[in-house]
Amino acid sequence: MNENSENKKVSITDIIENWATNSEENNISENKIIFDINIDSVEYLIKYLVSKNYDFFILEPEEDKVKVTFRKDNIEKEIKYIKFPVYSNIVLKAKILTKLDTSNNTNPQDWKTEIVLNKSNYKIISKTVPSNLWERLFLKATQIEKKVVAKKEEKMSFAKIMTIFGWLSFTTLVLGWVFLAVVLFKSTSVSDLQFFNNLWIDTNAIKDFAAKLVNWIFWIILLIIILLLFIFSYKAILTKKEFKKKRVSKIIISIFLLILSVSTLILWMFLSQKINSLRWINYWKVEYYDNSKYISKLFTPEDSIIDIKENIIWPITIRFNDEQLIQKLIDEWFKPQQTIWKVAWDKIEKPAKDYELIYEFKNKWLNNVKIQIKWTNIKWETDEKNIDLWVISLNNSIKITELKLDNGWSKFIFDASDLKYLWKIKWYYIPSIEWKDDNEANKIISKALSKELLTWYNFNSKNIFEWEEYYWIKIISGWVEKEWFDKIFIVSKWDKTEIKWDLIKKQDPNNSNKYTFSFKPSEDNIWEAYIKKFSWEIEDFDTNWNSKKTIIENNANLSNLEDSSQINYIFKKSWIHKIKLIILDSNNKESIFTDKIDISKKLELSGKLNFFIDSQKLEYKKDYNYDSNDKTYNLDDIWAPTILKVNATRIKTTNQKYWLKKIYWDLDNNWNFEKTWKIETISINTSWLLSFKVKYIFVNKNVQTDTIDVIETIHITAIDKEFIPSLKIIKTNSYVPIVVQFDATNSKVTWKNIDKFIFDYWDWTLPEERDAKNTWHKYLKDWDYTIKLTVVTEDWQKYKTSKKLVLKNKPQKATITASLKKAPLYQDIDFSAEDSIWEISTYFWDFWDWTISTEISPSHSYKKIWKYKVTLKLTTTNNNELKDEIEINIYED
């Protein structure tokens, strides 16, 4: 707008009066009318008005046209003409934009407003005035210039900073709480929480740290929730009744906070219980062996492993092995140089590659075991790490006294008085099994362990001369007798020489079964006489898997003992073989050394055994576990009696050169493999620890003589069932609708009488209390039903079981049969729906001549010639609709 237009402010009323006086002068001849087709909307008029710098425009309808007048300073500047349809559209849109009543065209209206068109702001003054021909529209538009307002820099207050910090802290706390909760939900052992090691938390302290962390986080969150609950509850109480909405909102928030606080408390309790149930793991990979078992030929190294968490009976000598720990550091690019063992009050320094420490504990009590490892890293920087391995508890002890007899024999006296508080001690005795084959040794052991020799605290051994003998004890506490033995004593009159030695084993690069053995004595050995002869005894098997011992003797060469002790041997079978070296000195005294060597071709299995009970497949990691290192399956808490089916059809090897030829089963666990079926059935009748083995024989596809045996062991822990469920489901087929019978007659509860049976049919009907049989229950819909049976005894104890019932739909079909498809006029035609498949509730016939029927088999005649399309609609008992059609041709006879 220019200055003149700003100074001259003309009202709408003046404009109207001025327009009325000048209207006749501005009339244009009808013959010269030219319609402006560019004017098509109110937006165009506003933009045109602003672009020409006019003050306003007027729309005045006449008989056959609409006049558009543009004015400035109350002077007509420009006149245009438009047609009535465009006028109607412009007036309607102008009323909407300026918020006038679109339905009112009999009274004057005016309005002031601001609008936005194409990202530009306009100040609008509009008015409508009724006339003889529709309405006149006056509209004034002024573009509003945007003012740039400089933003003032606001300084953040301390209170605002603290508020932001508080919210960030609370958000971090909640996120940490959610993360910790998710991790603990998925955790089953301490190994799942090993990421705490990155926070320099010791592995053995992870459980305590996790418990403290959960307690702190939940305590803070619960405190915040309770404070908020108190604040909103207090505000809800104080809010007046007049402010109903505010009061209701505060009450809702208070209820939500109350539910949240209770949920948080329950989750807190659950996670605390979850942490307490986490299993301990040997994170540092240090193995602990009972040394007396380890050096005995009766036990394998795996049998000698000690459960370090349990109370161990003293006296004991433990063999520590840190090979896996050292290897773990090497894999992480560290170079261990030295290990320092700290056991109880002793400190033993060893080279890093000397993995074993044999330590005899001098007294009972708590003994800390620590290890210090010194290494150089990839930058050749020297560093060390101190690891607290465990605290070995030796609270219980048995005093052993050797009584030497005059004839050179010895007797050992065991005094277990320190264990009286545990109640009873059972003693078992296994005589020497030296030079016995495996079958004979197993029979001796089984017979010896079948019955105890004595139940008392003191025990005297038999007279012992040379070979080792075994004494086993089982502690019975509180009338509970465990399956395993608590302590095994190995005693003998062997001369325990102080000779330090190494058995050197070298594998032939061209033959994996050929080894070279030699004896390397330590340089600091003190000899009472010189060595005369080396006698090697190697346990092996013949081609029929019969045990066989090979003896090789070499005379000693004092100038080179190691070379003169050397022998070569080719093993016949892949197995863990025992090797014994007997050294005869010039005093005719023998020193005996034993070792084991694993000669085995390794094959990795790509499949697992499948286990089935009552046709239900057991789930891996839920119902059973598999240890790939030991090739052992563990099935815990299997109810007895039951039938277990073991399926080995999916067993394969990752090595494509080998294929599975045969499968043998050792159901008695005595290494006598007999049965050769791929599927085996095991009867579990009573609660007991049941073990059996399966042997797979893989054959090289190219070399048939190249066979590899893989043996897996299955351990089953069976538990006697207190409740033996029996739920029979009797049905004629698997299609609905169907009547099903249920029979729970054979269900039993040990030592209790059953009072009633509760059946839940899972079909949206209420559970039903009745006797053991239900001979009629009808199902109408297809579904995978889970039938639940609850047995209630006379003392109101409840026992539950369930069984699947899968029902499917029959192929539903509507079928029309007609006695005639071509018939003359007035001929009766018999129709029937009896061939339709399903249970039908309603019938609807449409004969196409405006007549219908609801009978199952109606008769009908036609009175006109035509081709009629007869339609049948059926409604089934499960509310499905079926349809069929047939064409009937009616002709004149």
Side-chain angles (χ1 to χ4, degrees):
M1 299 292 234
N2 59 22
E3 294 181 358
N4 293 332
S5 62
E6 290 179 359
N7 293 331
K8 294 182 179 181
K9 296 183 178 178
V10 182
S11 68
I12 295 295
T13 306
D14 295 336
I15 293 170
I16 297 170
E17 292 174 355
N18 193 17
W19 169 82
T21 58
N22 297 325
S23 61
E24 293 180 1
E25 299 175 2
N26 294 310
N27 285 337
I28 298 175
S29 175
E30 294 179 2
N31 297 328
K32 298 181 180 180
I33 294 173
I34 300 174
F35 293 100
D36 192 334
I37 62 174
N38 294 321
I39 302 175
D40 58 354
S41 65
V42 69
E43 290 88 349
Y44 175 84
L45 288 172
I46 293 172
K47 290 179 184 177
Y48 188 80
L49 185 74
V50 173
S51 66
K52 294 291 186 177
N53 207 16
Y54 295 150
D55 291 340
F56 58 91
F57 69 81
I58 303 171
L59 266 69
E60 179 188 7
E62 298 178 359
E63 289 185 359
D64 55 352
K65 60 185 178 297
V66 177
K67 178 181 177 182
V68 183
T69 306
F70 295 92
R71 289 176 174 266
K72 181 177 174 62
D73 299 333
N74 208 19
I75 298 173
E76 285 185 358
K77 292 293 184 180
E78 194 173 352
I79 297 173
K80 295 179 181 294
Y81 292 93
I82 59 176
K83 295 183 178 181
F84 270 97
V86 178
Y87 157 78
S88 302
N89 183 39
I90 291 173
V91 171
L92 180 63
K93 186 66 180 292
K95 284 186 175 184
I96 293 173
L97 280 175
T98 56
K99 301 182 179 178
L100 299 179
D101 186 0
T102 57
S103 62
N104 184 4
N105 55 12
T106 58
N107 298 314
Q109 301 183 74
D110 61 81
W111 192 260
K112 295 180 181 180
T113 185
E114 290 184 4
I115 64 172
V116 179
L117 291 176
N118 296 333
K119 302 182 180 178
S120 298
N121 294 335
Y122 297 92
K123 183 177 180 181
I124 302 295
I125 301 174
S126 66
K127 183 170 183 178
T128 59
V129 178
S131 67
N132 293 333
L133 298 171
W134 308 100
E135 292 179 285
R136 299 186 182 93
L137 171 66
F138 303 86
L139 194 143
K140 182 176 182 179
T142 308
Q143 188 172 1
I144 302 172
E145 297 182 0
K146 296 182 180 178
K147 296 181 179 180
V148 180
V149 180
K151 294 184 179 180
K152 296 181 180 180
E153 294 185 2
E154 295 183 3
K155 292 185 178 179
M156 192 175 290
S157 63
F158 177 76
K160 195 171 183 180
I161 293 173
M162 292 306 296
T163 302
I164 294 173
F165 176 76
W167 276 109
L168 287 175
S169 301
F170 182 73
T171 303
T172 304
L173 190 69
V174 171
L175 290 176
W177 165 60
V178 172
F179 171 74
L180 189 61
V182 171
V183 170
L184 289 174
F185 264 115
K186 296 182 177 180
S187 299
T188 57
S189 68
V190 178
S191 61
D192 299 321
L193 303 178
Q194 287 183 14
F195 63 87
F196 281 121
N197 291 127
N198 299 326
L199 304 177
W200 299 100
I201 305 299
D202 184 74
T203 302
N204 295 325
I206 283 179
K207 281 183 67 172
D208 294 335
F209 176 77
K212 290 178 182 179
L213 191 62
V214 166
N215 290 339
W216 272 104
I217 290 177
F218 275 83
W219 187 86
I220 294 171
I221 290 178
L222 196 60
L223 178 63
I224 294 172
I225 294 173
I226 291 174
L227 287 175
L228 292 173
L229 175 62
F230 175 77
I231 291 170
F232 279 95
S233 300
Y234 185 70
K235 286 185 177 181
I237 294 171
L238 294 182
T239 302
K240 295 181 179 180
K241 294 182 179 180
E242 290 81 2
F243 305 99
K244 186 176 181 181
K245 288 185 177 179
K246 291 184 177 180
R247 189 174 186 182
V248 170
S249 64
K250 290 180 175 62
I251 291 173
I252 293 173
I253 295 173
S254 300
I255 294 172
F256 171 74
L257 290 171
L258 179 62
I259 296 172
L260 185 61
S261 62
V262 174
S263 303
T264 304
L265 186 61
I266 293 172
L267 184 60
W268 186 359
M269 295 169 62
F270 174 80
L271 291 181
S272 297
Q273 187 177 7
K274 182 79 173 179
I275 292 172
N276 292 331
S277 65
L278 292 179
R279 299 193 304 271
W280 176 85
I281 60 162
N282 184 6
Y283 175 73
W284 293 112
K285 304 299 181 185
V286 174
E287 299 291 350
Y288 307 83
Y289 300 94
D290 185 335
N291 192 57
S292 59
K293 289 186 186 179
Y294 192 90
I295 63 176
S296 171
K297 78 166 201 172
L298 185 63
F299 301 96
T300 64
E302 289 75 18
D303 296 332
S304 309
I305 294 177
I306 297 173
D307 187 356
I308 207 68
K309 306 185 300 298
E310 303 295 334
N311 287 332
I312 302 170
I313 298 175
W314 181 83
I316 190 170
T317 299
I318 295 180
R319 179 186 293 253
F320 301 91
N321 188 307
D322 65 352
E323 181 177 2
Q324 294 186 57
L325 171 60
I326 298 299
Q327 190 59 49
K328 182 174 182 286
L329 294 174
I330 293 173
D331 293 341
E332 294 173 359
W333 298 96
F334 293 100
K335 295 183 178 180
Q337 302 297 318
Q338 185 184 37
T339 55
I340 301 173
W341 292 85
K342 298 176 182 178
V343 185
W345 301 103
D346 295 329
K347 181 178 178 181
I348 305 101
E349 297 183 5
K350 299 173 73 67
K353 291 187 177 180
D354 189 356
Y355 302 124
E356 290 190 338
L357 169 69
I358 301 173
Y359 186 83
E360 181 179 359
F361 288 86
K362 300 175 179 63
N363 49 39
K364 70 171 189 174
W365 203 241
L366 300 177
N367 297 270
N368 288 307
V369 179
K370 303 178 181 180
I371 187 172
Q372 183 184 71
I373 303 174
K374 295 183 178 181
W375 67 64
T376 55
N377 58 24
I378 196 171
K379 298 180 180 179
W380 294 99
E381 298 171 341
T382 303
D383 200 354
E384 64 181 36
K385 183 174 184 63
N386 293 292
I387 302 171
D388 292 333
L389 294 179
W390 202 254
V391 177
I392 297 177
S393 175
L394 300 175
N395 293 330
N396 304 316
S397 67
I398 295 178
K399 185 178 179 182
I400 305 174
T401 305
E402 182 181 0
L403 181 62
K404 294 186 177 181
L405 305 178
D406 295 337
N407 58 2
W409 294 61
S410 290
K411 178 180 285 188
F412 291 88
I413 301 172
F414 299 90
D415 183 3
S417 301
D418 191 36
L419 306 180
K420 282 186 176 181
Y421 74 97
L422 297 174
W423 197 41
K424 285 184 180 181
I425 307 294
K426 285 187 176 182
W427 295 87
Y428 298 80
Y429 163 69
I430 298 179
S432 174
I433 56 174
E434 188 66 23
W435 308 114
K436 307 289 186 183
D437 60 37
D438 288 343
N439 288 333
E440 190 175 355
N442 287 332
K443 290 180 181 178
I444 294 172
I445 294 170
S446 299
K447 183 177 180 181
L449 298 181
S450 63
K451 187 176 182 180
E452 68 275 11
L453 284 179
L454 180 68
T455 302
W456 192 243
Y457 307 109
N458 296 322
F459 179 77
N460 295 336
S461 75
K462 298 181 180 295
N463 293 344
I464 299 171
F465 178 70
E466 182 174 9
W467 303 118
E468 66 180 23
E469 296 181 346
Y470 309 90
Y471 293 90
W472 308 51
I473 68 166
K474 183 184 290 188
I475 299 172
I476 303 174
S477 178
W479 297 97
V480 177
E481 184 170 349
K482 294 172 287 190
E483 302 286 344
W484 61 90
F485 291 89
D486 296 277
K487 179 70 176 176
I488 300 171
F489 297 98
I490 303 173
V491 295
S492 70
K493 284 283 293 177
W494 284 4
D495 182 14
K496 297 180 181 179
T497 179
E498 293 298 323
I499 297 177
K500 296 179 182 178
W501 69 290
D502 289 320
L503 177 62
I504 309 300
K505 298 171 282 190
K506 292 182 181 179
Q507 188 180 35
D508 191 311
N510 299 320
N511 188 344
S512 60
N513 281 10
K514 184 177 180 180
Y515 276 78
T516 299
F517 300 99
S518 61
F519 172 78
K520 183 179 179 180
S522 178
E523 295 179 357
D524 57 355
N525 283 330
I526 300 174
W527 299 87
E528 297 178 357
Y530 62 87
I531 296 178
K532 290 174 57 178
K533 188 167 62 174
F534 299 99
S535 181
W536 296 87
E537 295 180 3
I538 301 175
E539 291 188 1
D540 199 359
F541 300 89
D542 60 19
T543 55
N544 295 323
W545 275 94
N546 296 319
S547 179
K548 177 184 177 182
K549 280 195 176 88
T550 301
I551 300 175
I552 304 174
E553 294 183 347
N554 285 351
N555 293 323
N557 182 352
L558 298 181
S559 61
N560 194 338
L561 287 174
E562 184 175 350
D563 286 350
S564 62
S565 67
Q566 182 174 300
I567 65 168
N568 295 318
Y569 186 80
I570 300 176
F571 290 92
K572 306 299 186 298
K573 288 287 185 180
S574 299
W575 197 253
I576 299 175
H577 301 271
K578 295 179 181 179
I579 300 171
K580 181 184 289 185
L581 172 60
I582 303 173
I583 299 177
L584 180 68
D585 64 17
S586 56
N587 293 329
N588 289 325
K589 185 169 89 172
E590 291 182 344
S591 300
I592 301 175
F593 305 92
T594 60
D595 200 355
K596 296 173 184 176
I597 184 170
D598 187 356
I599 307 295
S600 58
K601 296 178 183 178
K602 303 295 183 182
L603 273 184
E604 294 295 331
L605 300 180
S606 60
K608 290 184 176 65
L609 293 174
N610 289 327
F611 301 93
F612 297 86
I613 295 180
D614 294 335
S615 300
Q616 296 291 325
K617 183 179 178 182
L618 303 187
E619 295 184 23
Y620 176 54
K621 292 187 177 179
K622 180 182 178 182
D623 301 316
Y624 69 93
N625 292 307
Y626 180 71
D627 188 338
S628 58
N629 294 325
D630 296 338
K631 290 184 170 51
T632 302
Y633 292 88
N634 291 293
L635 286 73
D636 295 329
D637 300 337
I638 301 298
W639 294 108
T642 191
I643 302 296
L644 175 70
K645 287 189 177 180
V646 188
N647 190 326
T649 55
R650 293 187 176 272
I651 298 296
K652 295 180 181 178
T653 178
T654 55
N655 191 334
Q656 299 298 322
K657 292 182 180 180
Y658 291 86
W659 63 281
L660 181 60
K661 183 178 181 180
K662 286 187 177 181
I663 300 176
Y664 292 94
W665 300 86
D666 172 22
L667 301 182
D668 297 325
N669 201 29
N670 60 1
W671 294 98
N672 185 15
F673 293 93
E674 297 174 348
K675 295 192 174 182
T676 58
W677 314 113
K678 286 190 176 182
I679 300 176
E680 190 56 54
T681 302
I682 312 296
S683 297
I684 304 174
N685 298 318
T686 58
S687 62
W688 192 246
L689 180 61
L690 175 66
S691 297
F692 58 93
K693 291 179 172 63
V694 56
K695 179 169 67 176
Y696 315 111
I697 298 180
F698 291 92
V699 178
N700 192 316
K701 296 176 182 178
N702 300 321
V703 183
Q704 294 297 314
T705 56
D706 181 12
T707 62
I708 299 177
D709 298 348
V710 179
I711 295 178
E712 291 186 317
T713 305
I714 298 92
H715 297 300
I716 301 172
T717 304
I719 303 173
D720 280 337
K721 292 182 181 178
E722 183 181 2
F723 171 49
I724 303 175
S726 174
L727 177 58
K728 293 182 180 179
I729 300 177
I730 305 167
K731 55 189 174 67
T732 56
N733 56 62
S734 297
Y735 298 104
V736 289
I738 187 174
V739 173
V740 181
Q741 300 181 33
F742 300 95
D743 186 359
T745 307
N746 295 328
S747 296
K748 297 178 182 178
V749 179
T750 307
W751 307 113
K752 294 181 181 180
N753 294 325
I754 297 176
D755 182 55
K756 58 184 176 182
F757 297 83
I758 302 174
F759 290 89
D760 185 352
Y761 304 108
W762 233 50
D763 60 348
W764 298 276
T765 59
L766 293 175
E768 181 182 18
E769 292 187 9
R770 58 177 304 121
D771 55 12
K773 280 188 177 182
N774 181 3
T775 58
W776 198 94
H777 188 83
K778 189 171 186 179
Y779 287 93
L780 300 177
K781 289 190 175 183
D782 62 303
W783 194 257
D784 290 354
Y785 295 93
T786 302
I787 313 302
K788 296 181 179 180
L789 170 66
T790 303
V791 174
V792 183
T793 58
E794 291 179 342
D795 58 354
W796 294 99
Q797 292 293 318
K798 293 183 178 180
Y799 302 88
K800 298 181 179 181
T801 188
S802 62
K803 205 165 186 179
K804 283 284 186 182
L805 173 62
V806 180
L807 297 177
K808 298 176 290 186
N809 273 325
K810 280 183 180 178
Q812 301 179 1
K813 186 178 179 182
T815 303
I816 299 175
T817 57
S819 60
L820 296 171
K821 290 187 178 180
K822 291 184 179 181
L825 292 171
Y826 304 103
Q827 173 70 46
D828 285 337
I829 303 173
D830 296 327
F831 296 92
S832 176
E834 292 182 348
D835 290 343
S836 300
I837 302 175
W838 200 254
E839 289 192 2
I840 313 301
S841 58
T842 62
Y843 299 81
F844 183 85
W845 296 86
D846 184 357
F847 297 106
W848 241 43
D849 61 350
W850 305 102
T851 58
I852 61 173
S853 174
T854 58
E855 299 176 1
I856 183 172
S857 300
S859 294
H860 187 69
S861 61
Y862 291 92
K863 300 176 182 178
K864 290 184 179 181
I865 299 172
W866 193 255
K867 289 183 179 180
Y868 295 89
K869 189 181 290 184
V870 179
T871 303
L872 169 65
K873 292 183 181 179
L874 305 178
T875 304
T876 64
T877 54
N878 60 349
N879 295 323
N880 284 346
E881 187 174 281
L882 309 176
K883 185 179 178 181
D884 192 21
E885 294 178 348
I886 190 173
E887 187 175 272
I888 303 297
N889 189 2
I890 302 298
Y891 58 91
E892 186 174 359
D893 191 4

